[in-house]
C-alpha cells in the first residue's frame, strides 16, 4: 500500500510539474525552461541528499542514473516543446503511454503481477490512450496550426518512449541508494539541458507560441519554473521509492497516471474541454489504478 501511495503521489507531482513546465514553454524558449527548472530541481535534491547523509552510488547504479538523466532530459525537452505547440490534454496522455516500456521489461524479467494487476495495467494504459483520442479546444485559441499539431503529436510519442526508458533505468539506479541516484540523475539532466540550451542559442532557435495565458511577470515566471523543477525532482524520488518496494511494472504504470492531473489542470486553468471519450479514458485509468491497488 505504501508503494502504491508513493507512486500515486509521484503522478500528482509530475502532473502539476508538467502543467507548469508546459505553460512556461508557451512564453519562454523550451531550452530556457529546461535549464532553469532542472537547476531548481538540482538545488532541491542536493539539499535532500546532504540532509539525509546518503551515499554516492557507484558502478552499475551510477551508470543507470546517468543514463536515466540523459534520456529523461531529451524526453522532457520533446515533451515541453510538444506542450508549447500543441494541446495539453492531447500531448500529456500520449506521453504517458511510455509506461508500456517498463511494463514490458518487468514482465520479460518474470514479474508476477497477478490477474488484478494485469487487468489494472491494461485498463490504466488504455485509459491514457483514450484520453488522447480527441483533441480539446481551448477557449482562448486564436489560430490552429495543423502542421504544429502533427509535430506536437510526433514529439509526444518520442517523449513517451524516452520516459518509458527513464522509468526502467531509474528503477535500477535506486539499487545504489535513492537520493544518490536522484542527485546524479539530476546532475546529468541539467548538463544535458545546458548543452541543448547552448545549441539552441547558437542556432537562434525559438519555440513558437500558440495560445498563451495572460500576463507573465518575472515573479510568476520564477515561481512557475521553480515549481516545475522542484515538483519534477520530488516525483523522481517518490517514484524511485515506489519502485524499490514494488514491481517495476506496477509502480511505473501508477506513476504514469500524471496526465490525469495535467489534463484536469488544463481544463481548469486553460479552458480545454474534454471530449466524451477523453473523460471515459480518465475514468478507465482511475479504475485501472483501483485494480492495481487491490491486487
Amino acid at each position: 500500500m505504501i508503494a502504491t501511495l508513493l507512486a500515486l503521489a509521484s503522478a500528482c507531482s509530475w502532473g502539476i510539474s508538467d502543467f507548469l513546465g508546459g505553460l512556461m514553454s508557451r512564453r519562454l524558449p523550451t531550452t530556457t525552461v529546461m535549464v532553469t527548472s532542472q537547476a531548481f530541481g538540482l538545488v532541491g535534491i542536493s539539499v535532500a541528499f546532504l540532509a539525509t547523509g546518503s551515499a554516492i552510488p557507484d558502478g552499475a547504479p551510477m551508470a543507470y542514473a546517468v543514463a536515466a538523466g540523459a534520456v529523461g532530459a531529451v524526453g522532457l525537452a520533446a515533451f515541453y516543446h510538444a506542450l508549447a505547440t500543441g494541446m495539453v490534454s492531447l500531448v500529456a496522455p500520449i506521453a504517458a503511454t511510455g509506461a508500456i516500456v517498463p511494463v514490458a521489461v518487468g514482465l520479460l524479467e518474470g514479474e508476477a503481477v497477478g490477474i488484478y494487476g494485469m487487468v489494472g495495467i491494461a485498463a490504466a494504459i488504455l485509459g491514457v490512450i483514450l484520453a488522447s483520442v480527441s483533441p480539446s479546444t481551448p477557449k482562448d485559441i486564436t489560430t490552429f496550426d495543423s502542421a504544429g499539431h502533427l509535430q506536437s503529436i510526433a514529439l509526444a510519442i518520442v517523449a513517451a518512449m524516452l520516459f518509458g526508458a527513464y522509468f526502467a533505468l531509474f528503477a535500477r539506479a535506486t539499487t545504489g541508494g535513492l537520493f544518490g541516484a536522484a542527485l546524479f540523475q539530476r546532475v546529468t539532466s541539467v548538463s544535458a539541458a545546458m548543452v541543448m540550451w547552448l545549441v539552441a542559442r547558437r542556432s537562434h532557435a525559438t519555440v513558437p507560441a500558440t495560445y498563451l495565458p495572460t500576463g507573465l511577470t518575472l515573479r510568476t515566471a520564477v515561481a512557475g519554473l521553480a515549481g516545475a523543477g522542484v515538483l519534477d525532482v520530488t516525483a523522481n524520488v517518490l517514484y524511485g521509492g515506489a519502485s524499490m518496494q514494488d514491481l517495476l511494472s506496477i509502480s511505473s504504470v501508477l506513476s504514469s497516471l500524471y496526465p490525469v492531473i495535467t489534463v484536469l489542470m488544463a481544463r481548469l486553468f486553460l479552458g480545454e474541454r474534454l471530449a466524451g471519450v477523453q473523460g471515459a479514458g480518465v475514468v478507465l485509468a482511475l479504475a485501472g489504478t483501483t485494480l492495481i491497488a487491490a491486487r
Side-chain angles (χ1 to χ4, degrees):
M1 179 58 71
I2 293 179
T4 297
L5 293 176
L6 288 174
L8 291 176
S10 74
C12 290
S13 294
W14 264 320
I16 300 173
S17 172
D18 288 345
F19 177 78
L20 292 174
L23 202 60
M24 291 298 101
S25 295
R26 293 178 175 181
R27 300 300 300 271
L28 300 168
T30 301
T31 50
T32 299
V33 174
M34 280 283 298
V35 170
T36 309
S37 63
Q38 292 292 296
F40 275 117
L42 177 58
V43 172
I45 192 58
S46 297
V47 171
F49 176 80
L50 294 174
T52 56
S54 300
I56 296 177
D58 56 10
M62 170 71 84
Y64 282 127
V66 171
V71 300
V74 178
L76 193 61
F79 185 57
Y80 279 172
H81 196 117
L83 288 173
T85 57
M87 306 291 186
V88 172
S89 53
L90 174 63
V91 169
I94 292 176
T97 60
I100 295 173
V101 174
V103 167
V105 171
L107 295 179
L108 287 173
E109 292 181 343
E111 290 187 350
V113 299
I115 184 63
Y116 286 114
M118 287 296 295
V119 174
I121 288 173
I125 293 177
L126 179 59
V128 293
I129 291 175
L130 289 178
S132 68
V133 168
S134 178
S136 305
T137 303
K139 62 184 179 184
D140 55 351
I141 193 168
T142 55
T143 60
F144 181 76
D145 180 359
S146 59
H149 175 69
L150 293 176
Q151 181 187 59
S152 71
I153 293 177
L155 287 170
I157 293 173
V158 171
M161 296 300 99
L162 293 174
F163 286 165
Y166 162 82
F167 277 123
L169 291 167
F170 190 68
R172 283 163 173 73
T174 58
T175 58
L178 176 56
F179 287 98
L183 174 63
F184 281 90
Q185 179 269 332
R186 185 62 42 163
V187 169
T188 304
S189 66
V190 170
S191 300
M194 282 296 298
V195 171
M196 287 185 278
W197 180 79
L198 290 172
V199 170
R201 185 177 182 182
R202 181 178 293 272
S203 63
H204 303 289
T206 58
V207 177
T210 50
Y211 55 102
L212 308 175
T214 57
L216 182 66
T217 63
L218 178 60
R219 178 179 298 180
T220 300
V222 171
L225 293 169
V230 173
L231 285 170
D232 181 47
V233 77
T234 298
N236 291 342
V237 172
L238 291 169
Y239 164 70
S243 66
M244 293 172 71
Q245 299 185 49
D246 205 345
L247 302 177
L248 173 64
S249 54
I250 295 297
S251 57
S252 59
V253 168
L254 292 177
S255 295
S256 294
L257 292 174
Y258 59 83
V260 173
I261 303 299
T262 306
V263 167
L264 291 177
M265 293 189 72
R267 174 69 182 92
L268 180 62
F269 294 105
L270 299 181
E272 294 189 1
R273 294 186 295 274
L274 294 179
V277 67
Q278 289 179 303
V282 170
V283 172
L284 188 58
L286 293 176
T289 302
T290 302
L291 286 172
I292 290 172
R295 73 188 190 284

